[in-house]
Amino acid sequence: MSLTIEEASALFPWNDEKFRADPYPAYERARAIAPVHRTTENTYVVLNHADTTHNAKLPCMRIAEPPSFATVGEHPHPWTAFDNTVLSKDAPEHTRMRRLTNRWLTPKMIGTWARLTHDFTVEALGRLAPGEVVDAHFDLGVMPTHLTMCRILDMPVGDVEGMFWALWDAMLINATAPGEGIHARSLAGMNFMFAETERYVREKQTAEEPGNGLVDELLAAHGRGELTWREVLETTVLLYMSGGPNPAYLIGAGFKLFAERPDLMAEFREKPEIRDAFINELARLNPVELIITRFPNEDIEIQGVHIPAGSCIKYPIGAANRDPAIFENPNEFDHNRPPEASRNLTFGLGTHACAGQLLARAETSVILGLIAERYSSVELAGDPLEVRTDRLVAFDKLPVRLS
């Protein structure tokens, strides 16, 4: 069925609060009409899991927005601040930058970092009085994972809450229709993150003795002329700001699930062998980044729809992760799905798949494991509060009582 651009655009009310809170029925309605929709002159939305996994990682798919999308006279996009990182680079530059972190994220190193997350979480739980309400999002999600990233980088803890919300503000500009004032807000968030991070990196650079973290390795490479200062700084900001927020949403979703499904919490406690599949299913239903975008540098065709080079293709991760062609009863939590039916795209795909996903999965498993083993129940002590755009979701508050 062929729709006009106006009809197709109406299927995806990106700024509507109801849609943002629960986009899945809209995705299903759109998919029932067609798997690919043209929603503006140069924007397409692809809904199926198979189409996403095949096309989003084609060599012709670029991650950086082409100059043709810039509006004459407008300020540069705030996220050009990351033009020298893996976020904006395609191969071969992407490969060169990705190698900077590889040895810090091997399975052996992940085990080391996960033990740190365990210890930080034990300390946080030890400070809780019996019956005390705790913000499971910030205190048990953001803090332990941020502290772990600080150890990896060998960076100070810094202003954790300030960094978290600065990142959120910076991300607002990536919504489909950001709205008035968002550019300035995004830029302010970006400037805060860079100023905080650069101050710490400069202190390390002038220290009498080098540290032993990832940042020290970047600085040493800079000293040898192998990395520019911008590459050092941008990569450090990227890692420093993302250590907590992304895994924290997955961890928060786990707390919420435990509260709603005590049977699943008991199974997580009693069957450690299911934990990897459990976390994978938790990730399938709770992606943090809700849409990925790609820009083909040559004409392609998806499901019979011709897409010209330079177009923007939106791949809603939530739509792919709940495609009934792959996932039976796609809206239900089922960690017993066979491997071929559990391949979710929450951590991206292809060369741009999240480099830290093994760490995020391990941290989530460690924290939820501690909760399941130490407590008999998780009780919501208030309504969880989420903040959402069409591109990103985070918990604001997640009050729980552990008993």
Side-chain angles (χ1 to χ4, degrees), residues 9 31 44 50 65 81 85 93 102 110 125 152 184 187 216 253 255 257 267 283 320 322 351 371 385 402:
S9 179
R31 186 172 11 231
Y44 297 78
E65 190 174 276
T85 70
E93 277 297 291
N102 283 349
I110 295 295
L125 294 173
I152 296 172
L187 193 59
D216 300 285
F255 273 95
L257 182 66
E267 192 173 357
R322 300 190 188 211
T351 56
I371 298 303
L385 179 59
L402 307 172

Side-chain angles (χ1 to χ4, degrees), residues 40-347:
T40 73
E41 284 294 329
N42 57 1
T43 305
Y44 297 78
V45 180
V46 176
L47 296 164
N48 287 351
H49 185 281
D51 295 326
T52 300
T53 54
H54 175 73
N55 291 286
K57 60 185 181 184
L58 289 174
C60 70
M61 289 291 177
R62 300 301 183 212
I63 194 167
E65 190 174 276
S68 58
F69 277 75
T71 302
V72 176
E74 283 197 353
H75 297 294
H77 194 290
W79 282 73
T80 55
F82 288 111
D83 274 359
N84 294 290
T85 70
V86 292
L87 286 185
S88 304
K89 297 290 188 186
D90 291 301
E93 277 297 291
H94 179 276
T95 307
R96 181 177 74 89
M97 298 303 293
R98 187 75 173 250
R99 286 186 183 131
L100 298 173
T101 59
N102 283 349
R103 86 171 185 87
W104 296 85
L105 297 172
T106 62
K108 181 179 179 181
M109 294 305 290
I110 295 295
T112 299
W113 310 137
R115 284 191 288 277
L116 284 175
T117 304
H118 172 279
D119 294 345
F120 292 134
T121 309
V122 168
E123 289 175 15
L125 294 173
R127 292 191 289 270
L128 285 181
E132 181 180 352
V133 174
V134 62
D135 184 354
H137 158 66
F138 189 79
D139 296 322
L140 301 177
V142 173
M143 282 305 299
T145 52
H146 175 76
L147 290 171
T148 301
M149 180 56 75
C150 289
R151 289 290 186 88
I152 296 172
L153 298 172
D154 193 21
M155 289 271 285
V157 175
D159 179 357
V160 188
E161 192 163 6
M163 289 287 282
F164 182 92
W165 290 113
L167 173 61
W168 175 261
D169 287 347
M171 287 292 294
L172 292 174
I173 195 67
N174 291 327
T176 300
E180 188 177 354
I182 294 300
H183 187 281
R185 187 173 166 184
S186 175
L187 193 59
M190 195 69 77
N191 289 340
F192 179 85
M193 290 189 297
F194 270 78
E196 282 286 293
T197 307
E198 183 164 12
R199 180 160 56 90
Y200 295 133
V201 178
R202 291 289 187 190
E203 288 174 2
K204 291 181 72 67
Q205 191 182 29
T206 56
E208 291 185 5
E209 294 291 334
N212 58 2
L214 199 163
V215 177
D216 300 285
E217 196 165 287
L218 298 178
L219 286 170
H222 173 61
R224 296 191 299 270
E226 297 168 6
L227 288 177
T228 67
W229 173 252
R230 283 301 300 184
E231 288 173 330
V232 171
L233 178 60
E234 291 177 27
T235 299
T236 304
V237 175
L238 179 62
L239 295 169
Y240 190 45
M241 75 183 194
S242 61
N246 288 350
Y249 185 69
L250 196 56
I251 292 161
F255 273 95
K256 190 164 175 282
L257 182 66
F258 279 178
E260 295 167 345
R261 293 284 306 274
D263 59 315
L264 290 175
M265 179 174 171
E267 192 173 357
F268 196 81
R269 176 191 309 119
E270 294 160 6
K271 298 179 179 177
E273 68 276 12
I274 70 163
R275 291 182 181 179
D276 286 348
F278 194 103
I279 299 302
N280 192 56
E281 181 70 351
L282 192 65
R284 181 183 74 82
L285 291 172
N286 299 280
V288 179
E289 186 155 356
L290 305 176
I291 296 175
I292 61 172
T293 55
R294 295 291 186 269
F295 303 88
N297 62 6
E298 61 185 49
D299 291 5
I300 64 167
E301 185 176 301
I302 303 177
Q303 292 281 355
V305 176
H306 176 78
I307 300 179
S311 300
C312 172
I313 305 179
K314 291 177 178 289
Y315 298 97
I317 297 303
N321 280 1
R322 300 190 188 211
D323 183 349
I326 303 294
F327 307 100
E328 186 177 355
N329 298 320
N331 297 315
E332 294 183 9
F333 186 95
D334 180 5
H335 57 281
N336 294 312
R337 298 177 189 278
E340 65 274 15
S342 59
R343 297 165 293 154
N344 70 79
L345 307 180
T346 289
F347 291 100

